[in-house]
Amino acid sequence: MRYGICALLRHWRSTTRTGGLLPPATPVYSRPGPLQSRSYTAVSAADLQFGQPVHETHPHLLKPGELTPGISALEYAQRRTKLASKLPKNGVAILAASDVKYRSGAVFYDFHQDPDFFYLTGFNEPEAVAVIGKSTADDDHSFQLYVRPKDPKAEQWEGSRSGVQAAVDVFNADESGDIKDIGKQLSRIISDASEVFTDASPSRSSASAFSRLFANKTPPDAQGLATLLNRKSVKPLRDILNEIRNIKSDAEISNMRKAGQASGRAFTEAMRQAWTAEKDLTAFLEYKFKRNGCDTSAYVPVVAGGKNASQIHYVRNDDVLIEGDLVLADAGGEYGSYITDITRTWPISGTFTAPQKDLYNAILATQRTCIALCRADASNSLDKIHQIAEASLKDSLSQLGFDMSGNALETLFPHHLGHYIGLDVHDTPGQSRKNPLQVGQCVTVEPGIYVPNTDRWPAAFRGMGIRIEDSVCVQEEHPLVLSTEAVKEVDDIEALRA
């Protein structure tokens, strides 16, 4: 198996084998067998065009052997092998890429690849389907990748496509074909498979190529595919992929550390300055994430001054920032499609008032305690650490004069302490928070208190919203804080504006 794209610098002129699960009925590209001769001519790397950066065209972004920033082609292949090992004999897993989503008319949003599809392929274009099938004879497996073909006219408008041949030579598919032929190919693959694993369904919001087929919205040459799927033993892929994606490799953790470092520095730089508008602070953070090395923002930032901080997902970011209030910023950058998630709260004036400092330090002490428990040898789950956070906050708030009877804690601390992170801000959807944390899991730790402006609460704290959040990687004996560059001690925050 080739790992990298050096082979694409040569143009194959040999007859190719038709490996994989089934003999194709329409032309596909496949990898030459070991006994077949190859004839090729040299092609300059400068003449190559792909739908995403590769080392030969973007050596400033990718090292040799990397398929996406920080992640090698070999690691992607190992992920597919791991998935195949969990499939039954002759079982297949089918994954669809995301589609381009439109804001209006021909105005599109930034493309964001389906995380499961990206995790297994590294392919970052829309309109693609991956099929990973386990053989009947042994533990071998095949990888088929159906993509948009090269089209000079379309590429003049939309940008370069990698094309069908690159799916084999760059992305290491055993077979590839035109996505327009996916109906024919899948009909045979599904018909011969013992079981089909997929998360595509008619209710899926995406109109991906496979989702359309699954919903029976098919062209004439693919009629009957939905019926065939309904007759098959179709099982969800979610639990299998969560199990695989949940434990991060060293390369994944390195990407998340880069995102955390760049984003953390952006936060600290932001705290050095005086701000008068939420939108200005938002723009600064997003600019600095990229300027410090991230590819983009990981999610829509929350930048909430004063009472706006009591809205957990406040994203309007259009208010003024008032001297004497606090500002809460929840934001993070993304590197190589891996994210970081950080929240900091600091005084707009640069100096905490006494009540602000008291409440802030109570939350910070709880966060420190909870981060220290994010290690495998402590055998804590996120749910257990959440309970510890609740007890800590309840005790601290009582000492500050809060009446913590009844539903007080639920009102003041309405969200969970943390969630899993990785390719997604809320990674591995559906993953239980009841299981003990393991080495390689990455989580957030984000206690917060949001005090309503009502008579039930001490007057000095009414209207305050404070959350402190870091991205953390679980290790055996101690946690690795991925976002440590974002300062959070009171003295350190105040020193930035002294």
Side-chain angles (χ1 to χ4, degrees):
M1 181 175 284
R2 296 184 298 279
Y3 302 111
I5 72 161
C6 293
L8 196 60
L9 301 180
R10 301 182 292 274
H11 175 62
W12 298 115
R13 291 182 175 174
S14 62
T15 302
T16 58
R17 67 173 173 85
T18 57
L21 289 174
L22 296 161
T26 55
V28 296
Y29 290 87
S30 59
R31 216 174 281 162
L35 300 179
Q36 292 172 301
S37 62
R38 299 167 178 168
S39 173
Y40 51 82
T41 55
V43 178
S44 169
D47 295 332
L48 301 175
Q49 295 292 326
F50 303 96
Q52 65 190 75
V54 297
H55 168 68
E56 280 75 3
T57 61
H58 291 68
H60 59 292
L61 297 180
L62 291 95
K63 297 176 182 177
E66 290 182 347
L67 191 56
T68 60
I71 310 296
S72 69
L74 175 60
E75 180 162 329
Y76 281 105
Q78 291 169 338
R79 294 172 180 178
R80 294 190 293 271
T81 298
K82 191 176 294 185
L83 170 62
S85 71
K86 298 180 182 300
L87 298 177
K89 298 284 187 182
N90 205 36
V92 297
I94 305 174
L95 301 98
S98 296
D99 277 324
V100 175
K101 293 179 174 61
Y102 289 87
R103 179 170 179 169
S104 63
V107 181
F108 48 83
Y109 289 104
D110 285 344
F111 178 72
H112 182 74
Q113 187 58 281
D114 178 84
D116 291 331
F117 182 90
F118 184 83
Y119 181 81
L120 293 169
T121 67
F123 190 75
N124 204 21
E125 296 181 41
E127 297 185 58
V129 168
V131 181
I132 298 168
K134 190 171 185 175
S135 70
T136 56
D138 50 36
D139 288 333
D140 196 12
H141 69 277
S142 66
F143 168 40
Q144 301 178 26
L145 184 58
Y146 298 91
V147 302
R148 300 174 302 175
K150 299 290 287 182
D151 182 339
K153 186 174 181 179
E155 292 177 65
Q156 182 180 16
W157 286 91
E158 301 168 1
S160 299
R161 299 177 177 181
S162 295
V164 174
Q165 183 64 54
V168 173
D169 288 331
V170 179
F171 297 93
N172 293 294
D174 296 299
E175 291 181 2
S176 181
D178 189 335
I179 188 62
K180 293 179 182 178
D181 297 324
I182 191 63
K184 295 177 182 178
Q185 299 295 337
L186 285 182
S187 292
R188 281 183 299 280
I189 291 171
I190 292 169
S191 180
D192 281 9
S194 61
E195 292 181 84
V196 177
F197 292 78
T198 184
D199 291 322
S201 71
S203 61
R204 179 170 162 172
S205 59
S206 169
S208 71
F210 182 59
S211 292
R212 290 192 297 269
L213 293 173
F214 191 94
N216 209 21
K217 297 176 181 177
T218 60
D221 62 2
Q223 288 295 332
L225 178 58
T227 302
L228 184 60
L229 276 167
N230 289 333
R231 289 203 306 263
K232 276 289 177 183
S233 175
V234 179
K235 296 184 177 180
L237 194 53
R238 174 81 280 132
D239 289 346
I240 296 175
L241 280 172
N242 278 356
E243 182 182 348
I244 297 170
R245 285 179 52 189
N246 195 30
I247 305 300
K248 305 300 186 282
S249 69
D250 289 345
E252 291 178 287
I253 294 168
S254 177
N255 275 6
M256 295 176 72
R257 177 69 183 107
K258 288 178 180 178
Q261 183 179 62
S263 302
R265 288 173 176 168
F267 269 90
T268 297
E269 292 174 61
M271 291 184 218
R272 293 182 189 277
Q273 304 186 36
W275 301 98
T276 59
E278 292 171 350
K279 68 178 180 63
D280 295 340
L281 176 52
T282 303
F284 180 85
L285 286 170
E286 293 193 299
Y287 165 72
K288 280 296 184 178
F289 293 160
K290 291 184 179 181
R291 188 68 180 85
N292 291 348
C294 290
D295 302 321
T296 187
S297 291
Y299 51 94
V300 179
V302 172
V303 177
K307 67 181 185 303
N308 295 332
S310 64
Q311 302 173 38
I312 311 301
H313 287 161
Y314 171 87
V315 293
R316 282 174 43 185
N317 304 343
D318 60 1
D319 213 340
V320 295
L321 296 174
I322 300 172
E323 196 88 357
D325 282 347
L326 297 169
V327 60
L328 182 155
D330 183 342
E334 176 182 302
Y335 176 78
S337 294
Y338 287 85
I339 69 94
T340 195
D341 193 350
I342 304 172
T343 305
R344 291 292 185 265
T345 308
W346 67 92
I348 294 167
S349 66
T351 303
F352 289 90
T353 65
Q356 288 171 349
K357 184 182 295 186
D358 287 343
L359 185 57
Y360 183 92
N361 278 330
I363 297 167
L364 180 60
T366 295
Q367 200 223 19
R368 284 200 210 98
T369 297
C370 293
I371 287 178
L373 295 173
C374 292
R375 60 184 199 274
D377 66 358
S379 298
N380 286 308
S381 66
L382 274 177
D383 278 352
K384 178 63 181 300
I385 299 175
H386 176 77
Q387 293 170 5
I388 293 170
E390 287 183 319
S392 174
L393 289 171
K394 188 173 184 178
D395 180 65
S396 295
L397 292 171
S398 295
Q399 293 181 40
L400 292 176
F402 283 76
D403 175 5
M404 297 306 294
S405 62
N407 67 342
L409 188 61
E410 182 181 348
T411 300
L412 296 168
F413 181 32
H415 58 77
H416 202 283
L417 176 75
H419 53 82
Y420 302 106
I421 53 175
L423 287 172
D424 281 326
V425 178
H426 287 256
D427 207 43
T428 57
Q431 184 83 18
S432 174
R433 289 187 269 208
K434 298 182 183 300
N435 300 323
L437 293 174
Q438 303 176 61
V439 172
Q441 287 183 313
C442 295
V443 300
T444 63
V445 178
E446 48 182 306
I449 293 295
Y450 316 90
V451 187
N453 192 16
T454 64
D455 292 342
R456 177 175 177 180
W457 314 107
F461 302 103
R462 291 175 194 164
M464 285 189 198
I466 299 175
R467 182 166 66 253
I468 307 171
E469 175 184 21
D470 282 290
S471 295
V472 180
C473 180
V474 178
Q475 297 184 321
E476 180 62 36
E477 298 179 349
H478 57 84
L480 171 62
V481 179
L482 302 170
S483 47
T484 188
E485 281 76 12
V487 301
K488 58 184 178 183
E489 300 295 331
V490 167
D491 289 345
D492 292 336
I493 291 172
E494 293 185 336
L496 292 173
R497 296 271 297 279

mmCIF file of all heavy atoms in Angstrom, residues 230-261:
data_model
loop_
_atom_site.group_PDB
_atom_site.id
_atom_site.type_symbol
_atom_site.label_atom_id
_atom_site.label_comp_id
_atom_site.label_asym_id
_atom_site.label_seq_id
_atom_site.Cartn_x
_atom_site.Cartn_y
_atom_site.Cartn_z
ATOM 1 N N ASN A 230 -33.618 -1.839 3.023
ATOM 2 C CA ASN A 230 -34.650 -2.185 3.999
ATOM 3 C C ASN A 230 -34.747 -3.692 4.220
ATOM 4 O O ASN A 230 -35.161 -4.142 5.285
ATOM 5 C CB ASN A 230 -35.999 -1.628 3.541
ATOM 6 C CG ASN A 230 -36.060 -0.114 3.648
ATOM 7 O OD1 ASN A 230 -35.369 0.471 4.483
ATOM 8 N ND2 ASN A 230 -36.860 0.521 2.803
ATOM 9 N N ARG A 231 -34.369 -4.469 3.230
ATOM 10 C CA ARG A 231 -34.397 -5.917 3.376
ATOM 11 C C ARG A 231 -33.152 -6.428 4.087
ATOM 12 O O ARG A 231 -33.129 -7.530 4.609
ATOM 13 C CB ARG A 231 -34.504 -6.597 1.999
ATOM 14 C CG ARG A 231 -35.855 -6.431 1.331
ATOM 15 C CD ARG A 231 -36.082 -7.547 0.314
ATOM 16 N NE ARG A 231 -34.998 -7.655 -0.653
ATOM 17 C CZ ARG A 231 -35.024 -7.115 -1.871
ATOM 18 N NH1 ARG A 231 -36.074 -6.394 -2.242
ATOM 19 N NH2 ARG A 231 -34.018 -7.260 -2.696
ATOM 20 N N LYS A 232 -32.100 -5.647 4.052
ATOM 21 C CA LYS A 232 -30.840 -6.061 4.655
ATOM 22 C C LYS A 232 -30.847 -5.828 6.163
ATOM 23 O O LYS A 232 -31.680 -5.109 6.695
ATOM 24 C CB LYS A 232 -29.676 -5.275 4.036
ATOM 25 C CG LYS A 232 -29.176 -5.865 2.730
ATOM 26 C CD LYS A 232 -28.448 -7.164 2.991
ATOM 27 C CE LYS A 232 -28.000 -7.794 1.681
ATOM 28 N NZ LYS A 232 -27.353 -9.091 1.927
ATOM 29 N N SER A 233 -29.847 -6.438 6.803
ATOM 30 C CA SER A 233 -29.643 -6.184 8.231
ATOM 31 C C SER A 233 -28.812 -4.913 8.357
ATOM 32 O O SER A 233 -27.583 -4.963 8.417
ATOM 33 C CB SER A 233 -28.922 -7.372 8.879
ATOM 34 O OG SER A 233 -28.618 -7.082 10.213
ATOM 35 N N VAL A 234 -29.489 -3.757 8.345
ATOM 36 C CA VAL A 234 -28.802 -2.469 8.415
ATOM 37 C C VAL A 234 -28.648 -2.065 9.877
ATOM 38 O O VAL A 234 -29.628 -2.003 10.619
ATOM 39 C CB VAL A 234 -29.574 -1.389 7.640
ATOM 40 C CG1 VAL A 234 -28.857 -0.044 7.753
ATOM 41 C CG2 VAL A 234 -29.714 -1.785 6.184
ATOM 42 N N LYS A 235 -27.424 -1.802 10.279
ATOM 43 C CA LYS A 235 -27.133 -1.454 11.667
ATOM 44 C C LYS A 235 -26.430 -0.099 11.734
ATOM 45 O O LYS A 235 -25.730 0.297 10.800
ATOM 46 C CB LYS A 235 -26.249 -2.529 12.309
ATOM 47 C CG LYS A 235 -26.933 -3.891 12.399
ATOM 48 C CD LYS A 235 -26.062 -4.892 13.134
ATOM 49 C CE LYS A 235 -26.789 -6.230 13.287
ATOM 50 N NZ LYS A 235 -25.957 -7.220 14.009
ATOM 51 N N PRO A 236 -26.599 0.622 12.850
ATOM 52 C CA PRO A 236 -25.926 1.916 12.982
ATOM 53 C C PRO A 236 -24.415 1.744 13.120
ATOM 54 O O PRO A 236 -23.934 0.789 13.719
ATOM 55 C CB PRO A 236 -26.538 2.513 14.245
ATOM 56 C CG PRO A 236 -27.030 1.340 15.020
ATOM 57 C CD PRO A 236 -27.452 0.316 14.013
ATOM 58 N N LEU A 237 -23.704 2.713 12.581
ATOM 59 C CA LEU A 237 -22.243 2.719 12.652
ATOM 60 C C LEU A 237 -21.750 3.550 13.837
ATOM 61 O O LEU A 237 -20.585 3.449 14.223
ATOM 62 C CB LEU A 237 -21.702 3.289 11.341
ATOM 63 C CG LEU A 237 -20.231 3.138 10.978
ATOM 64 C CD1 LEU A 237 -19.779 1.687 11.055
ATOM 65 C CD2 LEU A 237 -19.979 3.693 9.583
ATOM 66 N N ARG A 238 -22.649 4.343 14.416
ATOM 67 C CA ARG A 238 -22.269 5.325 15.430
ATOM 68 C C ARG A 238 -21.465 4.737 16.593
ATOM 69 O O ARG A 238 -20.406 5.262 16.959
ATOM 70 C CB ARG A 238 -23.547 5.986 15.962
ATOM 71 C CG ARG A 238 -23.436 6.933 17.118
ATOM 72 C CD ARG A 238 -23.009 8.322 16.697
ATOM 73 N NE ARG A 238 -21.567 8.421 16.485
ATOM 74 C CZ ARG A 238 -21.018 8.980 15.419
ATOM 75 N NH1 ARG A 238 -21.763 9.488 14.463
ATOM 76 N NH2 ARG A 238 -19.713 9.055 15.295
ATOM 77 N N ASP A 239 -21.947 3.657 17.188
ATOM 78 C CA ASP A 239 -21.275 3.120 18.368
ATOM 79 C C ASP A 239 -19.872 2.610 18.041
ATOM 80 O O ASP A 239 -18.935 2.779 18.825
ATOM 81 C CB ASP A 239 -22.102 1.993 18.989
ATOM 82 C CG ASP A 239 -23.365 2.509 19.668
ATOM 83 O OD1 ASP A 239 -23.451 3.733 19.892
ATOM 84 O OD2 ASP A 239 -24.259 1.698 19.959
ATOM 85 N N ILE A 240 -19.718 1.982 16.881
ATOM 86 C CA ILE A 240 -18.400 1.481 16.480
ATOM 87 C C ILE A 240 -17.435 2.641 16.278
ATOM 88 O O ILE A 240 -16.295 2.619 16.754
ATOM 89 C CB ILE A 240 -18.502 0.632 15.196
ATOM 90 C CG1 ILE A 240 -19.351 -0.618 15.442
ATOM 91 C CG2 ILE A 240 -17.113 0.230 14.704
ATOM 92 C CD1 ILE A 240 -19.592 -1.443 14.197
ATOM 93 N N LEU A 241 -17.882 3.666 15.587
ATOM 94 C CA LEU A 241 -17.003 4.805 15.322
ATOM 95 C C LEU A 241 -16.698 5.580 16.601
ATOM 96 O O LEU A 241 -15.579 6.075 16.776
ATOM 97 C CB LEU A 241 -17.635 5.721 14.276
ATOM 98 C CG LEU A 241 -17.466 5.238 12.838
ATOM 99 C CD1 LEU A 241 -18.285 6.082 11.883
ATOM 100 C CD2 LEU A 241 -15.997 5.274 12.430
ATOM 101 N N ASN A 242 -17.668 5.694 17.494
ATOM 102 C CA ASN A 242 -17.386 6.361 18.771
ATOM 103 C C ASN A 242 -16.279 5.639 19.526
ATOM 104 O O ASN A 242 -15.388 6.268 20.113
ATOM 105 C CB ASN A 242 -18.645 6.402 19.633
ATOM 106 C CG ASN A 242 -19.565 7.547 19.265
ATOM 107 O OD1 ASN A 242 -19.236 8.374 18.405
ATOM 108 N ND2 ASN A 242 -20.716 7.613 19.899
ATOM 109 N N GLU A 243 -16.336 4.319 19.526
ATOM 110 C CA GLU A 243 -15.322 3.534 20.222
ATOM 111 C C GLU A 243 -13.931 3.778 19.637
ATOM 112 O O GLU A 243 -12.934 3.871 20.367
ATOM 113 C CB GLU A 243 -15.681 2.051 20.128
ATOM 114 C CG GLU A 243 -14.720 1.129 20.865
ATOM 115 C CD GLU A 243 -15.078 -0.344 20.718
ATOM 116 O OE1 GLU A 243 -16.188 -0.641 20.230
ATOM 117 O OE2 GLU A 243 -14.237 -1.185 21.076
ATOM 118 N N ILE A 244 -13.865 3.906 18.311
ATOM 119 C CA ILE A 244 -12.575 4.116 17.649
ATOM 120 C C ILE A 244 -12.100 5.553 17.816
ATOM 121 O O ILE A 244 -10.935 5.811 18.141
ATOM 122 C CB ILE A 244 -12.682 3.765 16.154
ATOM 123 C CG1 ILE A 244 -13.015 2.287 15.969
ATOM 124 C CG2 ILE A 244 -11.378 4.100 15.428
ATOM 125 C CD1 ILE A 244 -13.369 1.923 14.538
ATOM 126 N N ARG A 245 -13.001 6.507 17.610
ATOM 127 C CA ARG A 245 -12.622 7.918 17.641
ATOM 128 C C ARG A 245 -12.382 8.436 19.056
ATOM 129 O O ARG A 245 -11.711 9.452 19.249
ATOM 130 C CB ARG A 245 -13.706 8.766 16.973
ATOM 131 C CG ARG A 245 -13.740 8.686 15.464
ATOM 132 C CD ARG A 245 -14.862 9.548 14.890
ATOM 133 N NE ARG A 245 -14.801 10.910 15.393
ATOM 134 C CZ ARG A 245 -15.746 11.827 15.187
ATOM 135 N NH1 ARG A 245 -16.836 11.505 14.510
ATOM 136 N NH2 ARG A 245 -15.615 13.051 15.669
ATOM 137 N N ASN A 246 -12.929 7.761 20.043
ATOM 138 C CA ASN A 246 -12.896 8.260 21.412
ATOM 139 C C ASN A 246 -11.487 8.385 21.967
ATOM 140 O O ASN A 246 -11.174 9.316 22.711
ATOM 141 C CB ASN A 246 -13.735 7.325 22.294
ATOM 142 C CG ASN A 246 -14.060 7.923 23.636
ATOM 143 O OD1 ASN A 246 -14.178 9.128 23.773
ATOM 144 N ND2 ASN A 246 -14.212 7.078 24.634
ATOM 145 N N ILE A 247 -10.614 7.446 21.620
ATOM 146 C CA ILE A 247 -9.226 7.480 22.099
ATOM 147 C C ILE A 247 -8.361 8.135 21.025
ATOM 148 O O ILE A 247 -8.234 7.630 19.914
ATOM 149 C CB ILE A 247 -8.707 6.057 22.398
ATOM 150 C CG1 ILE A 247 -9.640 5.349 23.393
ATOM 151 C CG2 ILE A 247 -7.286 6.126 22.931
ATOM 152 C CD1 ILE A 247 -9.779 6.039 24.729
ATOM 153 N N LYS A 248 -7.746 9.240 21.363
ATOM 154 C CA LYS A 248 -6.978 10.009 20.397
ATOM 155 C C LYS A 248 -5.547 9.486 20.286
ATOM 156 O O LYS A 248 -4.926 9.098 21.278
ATOM 157 C CB LYS A 248 -6.954 11.487 20.793
ATOM 158 C CG LYS A 248 -8.340 12.114 20.988
ATOM 159 C CD LYS A 248 -9.174 12.043 19.723
ATOM 160 C CE LYS A 248 -10.494 12.791 19.839
ATOM 161 N NZ LYS A 248 -11.519 12.065 20.585
ATOM 162 N N SER A 249 -5.035 9.491 19.056
ATOM 163 C CA SER A 249 -3.645 9.116 18.818
ATOM 164 C C SER A 249 -2.727 10.265 19.220
ATOM 165 O O SER A 249 -3.169 11.392 19.466
ATOM 166 C CB SER A 249 -3.444 8.797 17.335
ATOM 167 O OG SER A 249 -3.564 9.990 16.559
ATOM 168 N N ASP A 250 -1.435 9.978 19.256
ATOM 169 C CA ASP A 250 -0.467 11.043 19.571
ATOM 170 C C ASP A 250 -0.564 12.179 18.555
ATOM 171 O O ASP A 250 -0.428 13.354 18.912
ATOM 172 C CB ASP A 250 0.952 10.473 19.578
ATOM 173 C CG ASP A 250 1.212 9.568 20.780
ATOM 174 O OD1 ASP A 250 0.414 9.606 21.743
ATOM 175 O OD2 ASP A 250 2.208 8.815 20.744
ATOM 176 N N ALA A 251 -0.778 11.822 17.275
ATOM 177 C CA ALA A 251 -0.877 12.852 16.236
ATOM 178 C C ALA A 251 -2.106 13.719 16.434
ATOM 179 O O ALA A 251 -2.056 14.947 16.248
ATOM 180 C CB ALA A 251 -0.907 12.195 14.857
ATOM 181 N N GLU A 252 -3.218 13.123 16.814
ATOM 182 C CA GLU A 252 -4.433 13.894 17.065
ATOM 183 C C GLU A 252 -4.241 14.837 18.247
ATOM 184 O O GLU A 252 -4.640 16.007 18.208
ATOM 185 C CB GLU A 252 -5.606 12.957 17.328
ATOM 186 C CG GLU A 252 -6.063 12.159 16.113
ATOM 187 C CD GLU A 252 -7.202 11.218 16.451
ATOM 188 O OE1 GLU A 252 -6.954 10.195 17.122
ATOM 189 O OE2 GLU A 252 -8.343 11.511 16.046
ATOM 190 N N ILE A 253 -3.634 14.318 19.316
ATOM 191 C CA ILE A 253 -3.399 15.148 20.500
ATOM 192 C C ILE A 253 -2.467 16.301 20.158
ATOM 193 O O ILE A 253 -2.652 17.435 20.622
ATOM 194 C CB ILE A 253 -2.825 14.286 21.642
ATOM 195 C CG1 ILE A 253 -3.879 13.268 22.101
ATOM 196 C CG2 ILE A 253 -2.380 15.159 22.811
ATOM 197 C CD1 ILE A 253 -3.341 12.196 23.020
ATOM 198 N N SER A 254 -1.471 16.039 19.315
ATOM 199 C CA SER A 254 -0.557 17.104 18.896
ATOM 200 C C SER A 254 -1.303 18.196 18.137
ATOM 201 O O SER A 254 -1.065 19.393 18.363
ATOM 202 C CB SER A 254 0.549 16.512 18.009
ATOM 203 O OG SER A 254 1.410 17.532 17.530
ATOM 204 N N ASN A 255 -2.219 17.816 17.261
ATOM 205 C CA ASN A 255 -3.021 18.814 16.547
ATOM 206 C C ASN A 255 -3.870 19.634 17.510
ATOM 207 O O ASN A 255 -3.995 20.859 17.374
ATOM 208 C CB ASN A 255 -3.930 18.126 15.526
ATOM 209 C CG ASN A 255 -3.236 17.876 14.195
ATOM 210 O OD1 ASN A 255 -2.048 18.112 14.052
ATOM 211 N ND2 ASN A 255 -3.992 17.405 13.218
ATOM 212 N N MET A 256 -4.459 18.956 18.499
ATOM 213 C CA MET A 256 -5.296 19.659 19.456
ATOM 214 C C MET A 256 -4.459 20.568 20.354
ATOM 215 O O MET A 256 -4.915 21.640 20.773
ATOM 216 C CB MET A 256 -6.103 18.655 20.273
ATOM 217 C CG MET A 256 -7.097 17.871 19.423
ATOM 218 S SD MET A 256 -7.993 16.602 20.316
ATOM 219 C CE MET A 256 -9.096 17.611 21.303
ATOM 220 N N ARG A 257 -3.247 20.154 20.637
ATOM 221 C CA ARG A 257 -2.342 21.012 21.422
ATOM 222 C C ARG A 257 -1.963 22.262 20.622
ATOM 223 O O ARG A 257 -1.909 23.365 21.174
ATOM 224 C CB ARG A 257 -1.093 20.222 21.807
ATOM 225 C CG ARG A 257 -0.048 21.046 22.560
ATOM 226 C CD ARG A 257 -0.528 21.422 23.947
ATOM 227 N NE ARG A 257 0.460 22.272 24.624
ATOM 228 C CZ ARG A 257 0.310 23.579 24.831
ATOM 229 N NH1 ARG A 257 -0.792 24.199 24.448
ATOM 230 N NH2 ARG A 257 1.239 24.265 25.442
ATOM 231 N N LYS A 258 -1.741 22.098 19.320
ATOM 232 C CA LYS A 258 -1.432 23.263 18.487
ATOM 233 C C LYS A 258 -2.611 24.230 18.458
ATOM 234 O O LYS A 258 -2.433 25.450 18.551
ATOM 235 C CB LYS A 258 -1.077 22.815 17.067
ATOM 236 C CG LYS A 258 0.274 22.125 16.962
ATOM 237 C CD LYS A 258 0.557 21.655 15.540
ATOM 238 C CE LYS A 258 1.913 20.957 15.468
ATOM 239 N NZ LYS A 258 2.205 20.436 14.106
ATOM 240 N N ALA A 259 -3.817 23.681 18.320
ATOM 241 C CA ALA A 259 -5.005 24.536 18.329
ATOM 242 C C ALA A 259 -5.166 25.225 19.679
ATOM 243 O O ALA A 259 -5.503 26.415 19.749
ATOM 244 C CB ALA A 259 -6.248 23.713 18.003
ATOM 245 N N GLY A 260 -4.931 24.485 20.771
ATOM 246 C CA GLY A 260 -5.060 25.051 22.104
ATOM 247 C C GLY A 260 -4.022 26.120 22.385
ATOM 248 O O GLY A 260 -4.327 27.155 22.995
ATOM 249 N N GLN A 261 -2.794 25.877 21.935
ATOM 250 C CA GLN A 261 -1.723 26.850 22.157
ATOM 251 C C GLN A 261 -1.998 28.150 21.404
ATOM 252 O O GLN A 261 -1.915 29.243 21.977
ATOM 253 C CB GLN A 261 -0.389 26.258 21.708
ATOM 254 C CG GLN A 261 0.805 27.142 21.963
ATOM 255 C CD GLN A 261 2.100 26.472 21.500
ATOM 256 O OE1 GLN A 261 2.265 26.182 20.312
ATOM 257 N NE2 GLN A 261 2.983 26.204 22.436
#
